[in-house]
């Protein structure tokens, strides 16, 4: 009988550790922003992304705001932490604008 509670505990923990599947449109919007970041980077291979990339749909025309935290090396090899705010079309496929600032 002791194995049943252990099995249930294992199943419960496994279910809790699964993350909810991301919205496919959010993924397209993130990829559009990340592709732009990589295409503009001085050292494309040095771009490393953070874990949190929120997508907000606060614009009346359906455009999405994507915030991406990343680090990248400049031409002399010094890494900088940067935050990019991308505005992406409602279908997530077209970059409308991008603004970057130094992050922490």
């Amino acid at each position: 009988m002791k194995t049943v509670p252990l099995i249930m505990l294992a199943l419960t923990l496994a279910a809790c550790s699964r993350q909810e599947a991301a919205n496919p449109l959010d993924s397209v919007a993130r990829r559009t922003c990340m592709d732009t970041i990589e295409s503009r980077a001085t050292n494309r291979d040095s771009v490393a992304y953070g874990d949190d990339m929120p997508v907000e749909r606060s614009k009346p025309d359906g455009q999405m705001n994507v915030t991406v935290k990343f680090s990248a090396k400049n031409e002399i090899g010094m890494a900088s932490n940067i935050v990019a705010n991308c505005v992406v079309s409602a279908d997530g496929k077209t970059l409308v604008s991008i603004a970057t600032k130094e992050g922490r």
Side-chain angles (χ1 to χ4, degrees):
M1 289 265 180
K2 289 185 179 183
T3 57
V4 174
L6 290 176
I7 291 172
M8 292 190 65
L9 177 63
L11 291 174
T12 303
L13 290 174
C16 290
S17 67
R18 290 187 196 140
Q19 293 182 352
E20 189 175 314
N23 179 335
L25 193 55
D26 291 0
S27 296
V28 172
R30 283 186 194 97
R31 177 55 25 206
T32 298
C33 187
M34 292 165 67
D35 287 347
T36 302
I37 290 166
E38 291 169 14
S39 72
R40 295 181 182 188
T42 301
N43 185 348
R44 181 180 180 155
D45 293 334
S46 72
V47 176
Y49 297 102
D51 293 332
D52 189 29
M53 294 186 210
V55 176
E56 297 176 1
R57 289 174 188 75
S58 58
K59 301 210 178 263
D61 54 4
Q63 292 177 339
M64 295 175 274
N65 292 320
V66 181
T67 303
V68 177
K69 294 180 182 180
F70 67 99
S71 66
K73 292 182 181 178
N74 61 17
E75 55 278 341
I76 61 171
M78 290 185 60
S80 295
N81 292 321
I82 302 167
V83 177
N85 291 302
C86 299
V87 177
V88 181
S89 62
D91 65 359
K93 297 178 181 177
T94 305
L95 181 75
V96 175
S97 67
I98 185 169
T100 59
K101 66 179 179 181
E102 289 287 325
R104 292 184 184 192

